[in-house]
Amino acid sequence: MQLKIEDINKVLILGAGTLGLRVGLQCAISGFETTIYDISEKALDTAIKTQASILKMLIRNEKLTEAQAEEAKGRLTFTTDPEAAADDADFLSESVTENLELKRKVWAKFGALCPEKTLFTTNTSYLLGSQIADASGRPERFCNFHFHDVFYSNVVDVMPHAGTASWINDLLMELGEKLWQTPVFVQKENTGYIFNYMLMALLGAAGSLRTLDIGSIEDIDRSWMGNFKMEMGPFGILDTVGLDTAWHITSSQPDKKSQAFAALLKSYIDAGKLGVKTGEGFYTYPNPRFKEEGFV
Ligand SMILES: NC(=O)c1ccc[n+]([C@@H]2O[C@H](COP(=O)([O-])OP(=O)(O)OC[C@H]3O[C@@H](n4cnc5c(N)ncnc54)[C@H](O)[C@@H]3O)[C@@H](O)[C@H]2O)c1
């Protein structure tokens, strides 16, 4: 059953973390009835609070009116009940923890629960659709649809795997625009899509500069920020991404440099420092050093 953009009314988001809450909020802002599912009540509570502060920011920046923000809130439902979540979903965007085994389990569960019509997408940063699609039971309806930050960085990657039905590509390109994103089509499956492929090289190099003790975290960031007039450097970016997410990616690379970088990330994770989301990572938040006058 092929879907058209007007057939998409109900959206299901799996995972209410950093990305799931943002994708879900944008779906609600764009007019979709949106259910956000997570196994953790705490994650859902945090999502509601974070979404409220994003809405305030959007109102302040005149991207939304107060009334539009209230309407968006009214379209959002939060649940830990998988059956209720899957009921009548037209479009599913999965943003659970970046771990292949976990994602395959979640897809097996929701592949069985969702109605036949549901379009399946994953927001994974570095996994390929061909590694996950068969777990859903409907690989032809499965495609990578990868957001970056949604509100700050508004690019979305559409990356089919070899078995994705071709009508899905056009539909997701259209849906991306409806969600206020710039859609980018990735013609062949590629780890890290287009932007993350380039970003991985930068973050990996920054990690090695630190683990080889060539530069301090601040000087590595200063170099990048000062030369390219950027708002943050690689370690600031890592704090935004989440050090746990970065660790999942880095620790899966077998080479020595990646393993050394993964060990550095793990030392922060073990100390409860996951980045912006826990208030501390390489920097402390909400006022990290790299935003101070005179840092660069
Ligand atoms: N953080 C980023 O900058 C970023 C950007 C683009 C894409 N992504 C991708 O989005 C996905 C999520 O990343 P994140 O940064 O939001 O992670 P996160 O740790 O902030 O959130 C993950 C959420 O998944 C939930 N979860 C874990 N197991 C679950 C299950 N079985 N069922 C339902 N929910 C479950 C957790 O409770 C948590 O709330 C990853 O695949 C990541 O690669 C992340």
Side-chain angles (χ1 to χ4, degrees):
M1 178 187 170
Q2 293 195 13
L3 295 180
K4 296 206 174 69
I5 196 85
E6 54 274 18
D7 298 324
I8 299 179
N9 298 303
K10 276 194 78 176
V11 168
L12 167 59
I13 306 290
L14 302 182
T18 310
L19 254 286
L21 75 90
R22 286 172 170 77
V23 177
L25 179 59
Q26 182 57 59
C27 288
I29 290 171
S30 296
F32 299 107
E33 290 301 320
T34 304
T35 300
I36 302 187
Y37 165 84
D38 203 291
I39 45 167
S40 153
E41 290 277 3
K42 191 165 169 259
L44 294 176
D45 286 347
T46 308
I48 293 168
K49 288 186 193 122
T50 310
Q51 287 180 340
S53 53
I54 294 173
L55 284 173
K56 274 191 196 147
M57 182 266 292
L58 293 172
I59 294 167
R60 239 187 355 260
N61 296 345
E62 297 180 359
K63 295 264 171 31
L64 278 186
T65 63
E66 302 248 1
Q68 288 168 325
E70 281 310 307
E71 279 169 25
K73 272 193 204 165
R75 294 189 197 102
L76 283 160
T77 307
F78 300 85
T79 185
T80 54
D81 176 346
E83 279 83 11
D87 184 43
D88 204 30
D90 299 305
F91 168 72
L92 190 169
S93 171
E94 171 268 310
S95 278
V96 305
T97 312
E98 184 78 346
N99 175 291
L100 178 58
E101 205 183 325
L102 171 73
K103 284 197 193 278
R104 288 185 59 87
K105 271 194 201 146
V106 169
W107 276 107
K109 181 174 181 150
F110 280 88
L113 287 175
C114 284
E116 238 177 81
K117 63 177 179 175
T118 314
L119 174 58
F120 290 158
T121 68
T122 179
N123 189 26
T124 175
S125 298
Y126 292 99
L127 298 168
L128 301 177
S130 54
Q131 294 175 282
I132 313 173
D134 66 305
S136 73
R138 289 174 241 167
E140 69 289 351
R141 295 187 84 76
F142 189 102
C143 191
N144 286 37
F145 191 48
H146 170 253
F147 296 81
H148 290 256
D149 154 272
V150 181
F151 296 101
Y152 181 74
S153 319
N154 62 334
V155 172
V156 68
D157 300 296
V158 175
M159 186 172 82
H161 65 92
T164 305
S166 57
W167 59 268
I168 290 177
N169 301 338
D170 293 341
L171 177 58
L172 289 179
M173 294 295 282
E174 206 178 334
L175 182 60
E177 285 191 8
K178 199 163 172 183
L179 296 175
W180 298 4
Q181 307 296 302
T182 301
V184 169
F185 188 63
V186 187
Q187 300 175 26
K188 280 184 194 168
E189 273 202 318
N190 184 46
T191 302
Y193 310 88
I194 291 175
F195 178 76
N196 281 6
Y197 186 79
M198 298 187 278
L199 180 65
M200 216 164 24
L202 170 71
L203 299 182
S208 293
L209 286 167
R210 182 62 223 117
T211 55
L212 295 171
D213 206 22
I214 292 167
S216 69
I217 284 165
E218 295 197 348
D219 279 343
I220 295 165
D221 277 2
R222 263 187 203 103
S223 299
W224 187 254
M225 292 166 71
N227 276 300
F228 269 169
K229 308 294 168 241
M230 292 295 190
E231 286 178 23
M232 60 177 83
F235 288 99
I237 295 172
L238 283 160
D239 276 352
T240 311
V241 169
L243 303 197
D244 49 343
T245 299
W247 177 81
H248 280 299
I249 299 154
T250 316
S251 62
S252 67
Q253 313 288 318
D255 62 284
K256 265 192 181 163
K257 282 183 176 170
S258 300
Q259 288 300 317
F261 187 20
L264 174 69
L265 291 166
K266 188 76 174 29
S267 66
Y268 281 77
I269 295 167
D270 289 346
K273 300 176 183 177
L274 304 188
V276 178
K277 61 185 162 188
T278 56
E280 191 170 358
F282 292 110
Y283 297 91
T284 48
Y285 296 86
N287 300 310
R289 280 261 301 127
F290 65 80
K291 286 203 175 150
E292 284 173 15
E293 190 83 28
F295 183 78
V296 178

